[in-house]
Amino acid sequence: MVTGWSPVEYAERKMSLVMHLAGFIPSAYFTIFHLLFGISWFGLIVLPCTLAVLTSLFLLFNQPESQRYKTADVWFLLLAIPPVLVALTQPQMHGQYFVPALILACFIHLPLYVAERLVFAVSLVAIILGMQHLGLHQGLRFTLGVIASHIFAWGLARVLVKQNIELKELAFMDSLTRCYNRRALFDELQKAKQQYKRSEIHCSLIMLDLDHFKQINDQHGHPLGDQILLWFSRFLQQHTRVNDRVFRYGGEEFIILLHDADFDMAYQTSEKLLTELINQPAPKELKVSFSAGIASFNGKESIDDWLERADQALYQAKQAGRQQTWAKQITTVKQNHANS
């Protein structure tokens, strides 16, 4: 397993492997048996399920950073529905034993809103076929089993969705400020980089550092320092666009990722934030300001180089006296404002 995976990603891959083990063995067995010795048309129906599992396994082990295996998982579940239902209509195929496993797998591996509708339809068809082909008494027992499996799997899926949300918050959210953390930052920067390569949509970074924050901790204590950080993070989230992202980079340092924003827009955003922040009293009526460095992605650099440019610009802003925005392109922006 890749060490950079979040707990949610790790759990999803483990569940996918469990489904492969549970699905590949019967799929491969029925494919081979029916193609060679049994009902050939049924073997052809099951064959795509086997191929989908093999594809997903290949993607899991050969492309560990990719999410493409999830698509193969979905195809496996969709392709497994017809042979399971068909098996209910054929004597000696014992399709009733695979319906509960299919219901559980759909609820675990498909989005809940999709699984709720799909599994309801599958369960209804399975019950009708079961009552028609299994006889009254066995059909009733099968119906009760399907209903119980449906309720259990639905409840389990809702619990898993809630736990996944909590795990994602733990993995990607800063516990104090509720901003995104460094792990989430690198994921978003990678997405922004790929988006630029596909569509040349500009994206920019604003790296901010609260001015003289150490003095606040020293003079007023760390509890008030934490209140300032929480207040500042809420200010940033309230004064940025919906599609922008605010990250706590470490300590009193934050990063704003501006999607679809060139350097000039990032500079104007930073200056506007600074002006509004100075006019708003912080907890205990303290005056708070920040220094900022800006870097727009140039399309060629690595993520580390992109962050390094923003960090260097932030350092220049501090050296120049703090409470200002700085970057290599600062003269271009000032000239543009002067001309306007």
Side-chain angles (χ1 to χ4, degrees):
M1 293 295 177
V2 177
T3 55
W5 288 342
S6 69
V8 175
E9 292 172 318
Y10 182 83
E12 287 175 344
R13 282 168 168 80
K14 293 288 284 186
M15 287 194 297
S16 183
L17 285 174
V18 171
M19 184 180 71
H20 295 147
L21 180 62
F24 177 71
I25 295 175
S27 297
Y29 170 77
F30 286 126
T31 298
I32 296 171
F33 175 81
H34 284 286
L35 285 177
L36 297 178
F37 310 107
I39 305 173
S40 58
W41 60 263
F42 187 77
L44 292 173
I45 294 178
V46 182
L47 178 60
C49 301
T50 307
L51 296 177
V53 174
L54 290 174
T55 301
S56 187
L57 283 170
F58 174 82
L59 294 172
L60 270 173
F61 289 103
N62 289 275
Q63 299 181 12
E65 298 290 347
S66 173
Q67 299 284 320
R68 294 173 61 192
Y69 77 94
K70 292 183 178 180
T71 303
D73 286 351
V74 171
W75 275 112
F76 166 71
L77 292 172
L78 295 178
L79 291 170
I81 293 173
V84 169
L85 294 179
V86 169
L88 287 170
T89 68
Q90 303 296 315
Q92 307 303 321
M93 281 194 178
H94 308 293
Q96 65 270 26
Y97 298 119
F98 297 99
V99 173
L102 178 63
I103 290 174
L104 180 61
C106 286
F107 269 117
I108 291 178
H109 293 280
L110 296 179
L112 184 57
Y113 68 93
V114 175
E116 287 176 337
R117 291 158 177 78
L118 178 63
V119 174
F120 176 80
V122 171
S123 298
L124 184 61
V125 173
I127 289 172
I128 294 173
L129 293 176
M131 292 296 295
Q132 290 178 347
H133 296 278
L134 297 176
L136 178 61
H137 296 293
Q138 189 175 355
L140 285 174
R141 288 195 294 268
F142 171 69
T143 298
L144 293 175
V146 170
I147 294 173
S149 298
H150 193 131
I151 295 173
F152 170 77
W154 175 76
L156 177 63
R158 293 185 65 87
V159 172
L160 289 175
V161 168
K162 182 180 179 180
Q163 288 182 340
N164 282 345
I165 293 173
E166 294 173 352
L167 282 173
K168 287 180 178 178
E169 289 183 353
L170 290 174
F172 296 110
M173 304 293 285
D174 177 66
S175 59
L176 173 63
T177 63
R178 310 310 296 168
C179 292
Y180 292 104
N181 59 18
R182 290 174 71 104
R183 178 193 291 272
L185 170 65
F186 284 93
D187 285 349
E188 288 293 323
L189 292 181
Q190 186 64 38
K191 293 177 184 178
K193 180 179 177 180
Q194 293 172 353
Q195 187 179 43
Y196 181 87
K197 290 182 177 180
R198 287 195 307 268
S199 309
E200 293 191 1
I201 297 177
H202 292 280
C203 46
S204 302
L205 291 178
I206 305 176
M207 186 175 289
L208 313 96
D209 189 89
L210 287 173
D211 295 329
H212 307 295
F213 184 75
K214 186 177 184 300
Q215 294 181 10
I216 295 177
N217 280 331
D218 292 342
Q219 295 176 9
H220 302 279
H222 288 278
L224 180 60
D226 289 345
Q227 291 182 37
I228 296 293
L229 291 174
L230 181 58
W231 170 82
F232 181 62
S233 66
R234 288 176 177 172
F235 167 83
L236 294 179
Q237 291 169 333
Q238 292 171 357
H239 290 80
T240 50
R241 300 175 303 175
V242 175
N243 62 330
D244 295 333
R245 295 291 181 266
V246 179
F247 306 87
R248 187 183 181 190
Y249 195 53
E252 67 274 18
E253 201 167 5
F254 292 79
I255 286 179
I256 304 175
L257 174 61
L258 302 171
H259 291 282
D260 196 13
D262 57 13
F263 172 80
D264 286 355
M265 183 180 292
Y267 175 80
Q268 293 166 9
T269 300
S270 179
E271 288 294 282
K272 182 180 179 181
L273 286 171
L274 183 56
T275 300
E276 293 181 356
L277 181 70
I278 294 173
N279 295 326
Q280 292 193 17
K284 300 296 182 181
E285 301 300 317
L286 295 176
K287 289 292 184 180
V288 175
S289 65
F290 64 77
S291 304
I294 294 175
S296 295
F297 184 64
N298 63 19
K300 300 178 181 178
E301 62 192 340
S302 66
I303 289 176
D304 290 337
D305 291 339
W306 187 13
L307 287 169
E308 179 62 24
R309 285 201 298 115
D311 188 59
Q312 290 176 357
L314 173 60
Y315 177 78
Q316 291 174 341
K318 291 180 180 179
Q319 292 297 106
R322 292 185 170 87
Q323 196 173 317
Q324 58 188 287
T325 304
W326 197 266
K328 291 181 180 179
Q329 302 100 317
I330 192 73
T331 54
T332 303
V333 176
K334 287 185 175 179
Q335 289 172 359
N336 291 339
H337 285 299
N339 292 334
S340 61

